[in-house]
Amino acid sequence: MASGRPSAMAGLPGAAWGGGANAFASLALVLTIGLVAFSPLGAAAAPVGIAASFAAVIAGGFVYALLGRVAVPCGGPSSATALILAGLVAQLVRDPALDVSTAGGLASLVAVTAATIVLMGALQVMFSLLGLGRFARFVPQPVLAGFMNAVALMILVAQVPPLLGLPALAAPGDATPLSSIQPLTLAVGLATAISLWVMRWKWPHAPAPLAALAVGAAVYAVLGAVIPGSQLGPVVGALPQGVALPDALFRFSDPDTLGLLRRHASAVGLTAAVLAVIGSLESLLAAAVIDQLTDTRHDGRRELMAIGLANTASGVFGGLPLVLSQTRAMTLIDGGSRGQGAVVAAAVVFAILFAVGGPLIALIPRTVLAGVMLTIAVAMVDRWTRQLVRQLYAREFSSDLRLSLVLVAAVCATTVAMGFVAGIAAGVLLSMAVFIRSMNRSLVRGRFSAAERPSRRVYGLAQEALLAHSRQRVTVLELEGALFFGTAERLAVEAGRLPPDCACLVLDLQRVNIIDESGAVLLQDLSRRLARHGIPMLLAGVTTDSAHGRRLQAYGCFRERPREDWFRDTDHAIEAAEQRFLAQAHVAESRTEAPLAQSLLLRGLASAQVEQVLKLMPAQHLSAGTLLFRQGDPGDRVYVLTQGSISIVGGRSEPRQRYVSYSPGVMLGEIAMLDGGGRSADAIADSDAVVFSLLRTDFDALSAADPALGARLLRNIALHLADRLRSSASR
């Protein structure tokens, strides 16, 4: 995948044409988003908001075009960030010491919002320096979905007054007489929205918002001419003209402006922080989409730095919050434009429109802009939420589906009722609660006794007889997921439900991916508490050099050495429990010596027959780690182990996979000897060992000379295989 992008000014004439077309196509969005951001100002929203929106795409857009490194570094205001800023504007408007009906009051308000955007940019620069961009993707999906749905809902509600021809600042609880509603105003707005929907459906690559703006304005003009005196709602009205200047913060030389900032400092800080997080997230997600469309790869840290500096520039010029505009970028990509050239050209065209196009923009009907925003709001409804609703409509009633919808609805409702900060905080807290609940629910994966799943060690007759009754007293708990503060109590409860006769607890941690301080302390406390009752706790999937082992000891737990209660897997932990039972019963341990005459191969034979077979079985001494045979070696003999331990292992990586281990008194290699096939795995001595072997040729000769003896040996081999098969079925 390419990581670069086209030269900054490559194909200048084509870039200029593409950028100019993009500016005109985006004009409706720029105008409407500016109105959204300053809608609490009522009649003054248009001149202030639209000027701020132009400042953002001119100053901020130019800076981002120069510094951004995505394929199309196209910045612009977004509906979500504009609505967040509108919340701050609404709070400032309610300040009794601020009179927004005067030019000085409006200038003070714009200065405070400009300072908010500058602080937002500074925070994004800090995010970049700290490398926090990579964490933006970890915001829980229900939080994002609920937030986007809340923004869409609030934008829809905000369009009701201009669509109905009502005052913009009508309070939600106010009763509006039906006679005040202007049906023709609503008709113009709906005609604009419908034309935009139709054009996006029929001609997806056309500049639908600009065309819909023209259609709506034409309908407005025709109705005004055909029906003289008809109520069609107000137009945008007079706008400031000229060149955008970086003078928004000059107003802080006025004591009243400084007082306004001091009184609302906490709101300014919170709004800037929310804007920085939401703007960064929106920009980085848009960058990922652009990467997919252009086969490029962006640097998240570089993009955050660029968008932060662009917002700083936008704030200095009194502009709106800036994000990487996916909509504008996709328009340029569809038109074949990439790189800085087209974006710089768009900023220049916006500057020209702001300087000389004010009289034309002032004539645009507000209901037409509301119709454009209506389609934008509907398009902003989260796609994941739509999919969940479709699944619900299709009667896919799963608990996870219902829980996801509840979380989305809760975040959306909290955001609408209490604001963006409260909505995001509630969403994160709810997501954490659900995560803890799910982790708690899935911690214990399985519970069984060692009788149901004994170790892979094959014991002699005396040892197996004892263990057959003792394994039931070994409880194994298989854990899965995260062992942390949210699930520690669940493990404590499970450990409290051990059977009264439990003699050993094995905790299988092989599927545990996280152990935090709370989990580590709980494990140590549980081990000590059980030890006081004479019940050892063995940990499987933990060794002194494993990640779990290092983490446990880093938390100050299990510091004693050596650790005889840690094992690399459950099989070895269960084997250790079995060895404890044998030691407690004073039964010969599985790795001591067992006479050849008492082995499974020779059981039930008369003394003379035993002597006859012993003459054909030479001894072989192995040191620890020595191979008895390798995978693929000919299976020309059966072995009887009389001292030490031998394991059948596979794989080449260490530690190798253990298939089965043999204790003194048992035979091995009998299957390959009977069917003549090669060895299926390696056999290695776990400790110093002694084995005796009977060649197939000697066995055949013995059977020919003494058929009864040969039959008896075959029967013993068959009984041994039957026991092995029965035992393997439970492992």
Side-chain angles (χ1 to χ4, degrees):
M1 180 178 290
S3 58
R5 64 175 187 174
S7 175
M9 297 295 175
L12 190 57
W17 174 258
N22 179 263
F24 279 102
S26 306
L27 181 61
L29 298 179
V30 171
L31 297 176
T32 51
I33 290 176
L35 287 174
V36 168
F38 288 89
S39 58
L41 291 176
V48 175
I50 292 176
S53 192
F54 270 107
V57 294
I58 296 170
F62 184 80
V63 171
Y64 185 54
L66 294 180
L67 301 180
R69 284 296 177 267
V70 290
V72 186
C74 198
S78 73
S79 301
T81 55
L83 207 55
I84 295 172
L85 185 63
L88 176 63
V89 173
Q91 178 174 332
L92 296 174
V93 168
R94 292 192 296 269
D95 189 322
L98 179 67
D99 185 2
V100 294
S101 64
T102 66
L106 279 178
S108 295
L109 183 144
V110 170
V112 173
T113 59
T116 305
I117 308 308
V118 170
L119 179 57
M120 169 196 179
L123 289 174
Q124 289 180 313
V125 170
M126 184 184 70
F127 292 169
S128 171
L129 295 175
L130 295 177
L132 299 181
R134 62 183 181 274
F135 295 112
R137 299 176 186 267
F138 295 103
V139 177
Q141 181 60 34
V143 177
L144 288 177
F147 172 79
M148 293 304 298
N149 292 333
V151 171
L153 180 59
M154 285 188 280
I155 290 177
L156 281 173
V157 172
Q159 306 318 306
V160 172
L163 285 172
L164 298 180
L166 303 176
L169 288 179
D174 291 348
T176 303
L178 293 178
S179 58
S180 301
I181 297 176
Q182 302 173 5
L184 290 180
T185 304
L186 177 62
V188 173
L190 292 180
T192 304
I194 292 171
S195 64
L196 180 52
W197 276 322
V198 170
M199 281 184 281
R200 280 181 170 170
W201 174 41
K202 291 289 188 181
W203 303 284
H205 299 298
L210 183 62
L213 191 67
V215 169
V219 172
Y220 184 92
V222 170
L223 288 177
V226 173
I227 310 176
S230 58
Q231 294 181 319
L232 299 174
V235 294
V236 169
L239 298 176
Q241 282 188 262
V243 179
L245 298 174
D247 59 355
L249 302 181
F250 291 175
R251 186 68 184 179
F252 283 111
S253 61
D254 175 33
D256 291 338
T257 305
L258 281 176
L260 180 66
L261 178 62
R262 292 192 187 99
R263 290 193 298 275
H264 300 277
S266 60
V268 168
L270 281 174
T271 303
V274 173
L275 285 172
V277 172
I278 298 302
S280 300
L281 181 62
E282 191 171 350
S283 298
L284 292 174
L285 292 178
V289 173
I290 294 172
D291 284 348
Q292 294 178 357
L293 294 174
T294 59
D295 193 28
T296 55
R297 184 175 60 253
H298 75 277
D299 180 349
R301 178 174 293 192
R302 176 62 184 262
E303 293 310 311
L304 274 185
M305 176 67 71
I307 204 71
L309 294 174
N311 273 308
T312 302
S314 178
V316 169
F317 280 81
L320 295 181
L322 201 77
V323 301
L324 172 55
S325 175
Q326 180 179 331
T327 303
R328 289 187 60 200
M330 290 178 67
T331 303
L332 285 171
I333 293 170
D334 290 341
S337 298
R338 295 192 189 185
Q340 293 173 315
V343 185
V344 170
V348 172
V349 172
F350 275 126
I352 295 172
L353 286 173
F354 181 69
V356 301
L360 290 177
I361 296 174
L363 299 177
I364 298 175
R366 293 195 181 186
T367 185
V368 171
L369 295 179
V372 173
M373 286 304 298
L374 191 66
T375 63
I376 293 174
V378 173
M380 285 183 67
V381 174
D382 178 62
R383 294 182 179 179
W384 180 64
T385 306
R386 296 180 189 179
Q387 177 59 38
L388 294 182
V389 172
R390 284 194 292 268
Q391 291 176 230
L392 191 66
Y393 183 76
R395 308 184 70 83
E396 297 182 21
F397 301 117
S398 68
S399 59
D400 291 335
L401 171 64
R402 290 194 295 268
L403 183 59
S404 296
L405 285 173
V406 168
L407 285 176
V408 171
V411 174
C412 180
T414 305
T415 304
V416 171
M418 302 176 64
F420 292 96
V421 174
I424 293 174
V428 172
L429 289 175
L430 287 172
S431 298
M432 288 178 61
V434 171
F435 172 75
I436 292 172
R437 175 181 175 271
S438 63
M439 290 295 97
N440 186 52
R441 181 180 59 191
S442 63
L443 176 63
V444 180
R445 182 176 186 267
R447 183 187 186 115
F448 56 89
S449 70
E452 300 171 79
R453 196 181 301 176
S455 74
R456 292 189 174 96
R457 178 164 293 282
V458 179
Y459 294 94
L461 294 176
Q463 294 93 344
E464 188 61 41
L466 171 68
L467 294 175
H469 300 287
S470 301
R471 289 191 180 107
Q472 190 64 44
R473 301 173 61 201
V474 178
T475 298
V476 182
L477 292 180
E478 286 183 323
L479 307 184
E480 182 177 46
L483 180 56
F484 69 123
F485 66 91
T487 58
E489 181 61 25
R490 172 71 188 279
L491 178 57
V493 171
E494 287 291 332
R497 296 173 180 170
L498 295 177
D501 63 341
C502 180
C504 183
L505 172 64
V506 176
L507 293 182
D508 182 1
L509 306 183
Q510 294 178 92
R511 295 178 180 85
V512 171
N513 48 33
I514 297 173
I515 301 178
D516 77 346
E517 294 91 335
S518 299
V521 171
L522 169 72
L523 287 177
Q524 180 167 262
D525 290 346
L526 182 58
S527 176
R528 291 173 176 173
R529 188 166 66 250
L530 291 175
R532 287 195 294 268
H533 292 84
I535 303 175
M537 187 181 81
L538 311 181
L539 299 184
V542 182
T543 60
T544 54
D545 57 351
S546 70
H548 284 341
R550 291 193 299 268
R551 185 176 295 272
L552 289 174
Q553 295 188 342
Y555 292 144
C557 302
F558 298 98
R559 302 291 297 180
E560 301 83 0
R561 297 290 185 93
R563 297 251 40 113
E564 297 181 353
D565 53 351
W566 288 6
F567 304 91
R568 68 171 183 260
D569 54 36
T570 308
D571 177 40
H572 286 85
I574 293 176
E575 180 186 350
E578 293 169 343
Q579 295 290 335
R580 287 173 182 267
F581 287 126
L582 294 176
Q584 291 169 2
H586 303 290
V587 175
E589 293 191 8
S590 60
R591 302 186 188 188
T592 58
E593 186 174 0
L596 179 59
Q598 299 175 14
S599 66
L600 296 176
L601 179 64
L602 303 180
R603 61 182 168 180
L605 297 184
S607 300
Q609 292 175 317
V610 170
E611 291 296 331
Q612 191 175 357
V613 176
L614 290 179
K615 294 177 181 179
L616 301 176
M617 299 184 67
Q620 182 178 354
H621 294 266
L622 303 173
S623 57
T626 302
L627 281 169
L628 177 62
F629 54 74
R630 295 182 180 275
Q631 180 179 353
D633 286 352
D636 58 355
R637 68 194 70 194
V638 62
Y639 296 96
V640 175
L641 177 66
T642 62
Q643 184 176 336
S645 172
I646 289 180
S647 292
I648 307 300
V649 297
R652 290 289 176 259
S653 60
E654 295 295 339
R656 302 181 68 184
Q657 174 65 42
R658 177 172 81 159
Y659 299 137
V660 66
S661 294
Y662 295 99
S663 297
V666 301
M667 69 184 81
L668 62 149
E670 67 280 2
I671 295 178
M673 187 200 76
L674 292 176
D675 64 15
R679 303 297 182 186
S680 58
D682 294 352
I684 189 169
D686 303 314
S687 60
D688 292 347
V690 178
V691 294
F692 292 81
S693 59
L694 177 63
L695 289 169
R696 176 59 189 259
T697 54
D698 291 337
F699 173 78
D700 290 341
L702 184 64
S703 298
D706 189 344
L709 176 56
R712 184 65 189 188
L713 291 175
L714 278 177
R715 182 175 182 275
N716 287 345
I717 293 175
L719 289 173
H720 173 65
L721 289 175
D723 290 340
R724 287 265 308 279
L725 181 61
R726 190 178 299 111
S727 177
S728 297
S730 64
R731 292 183 174 144

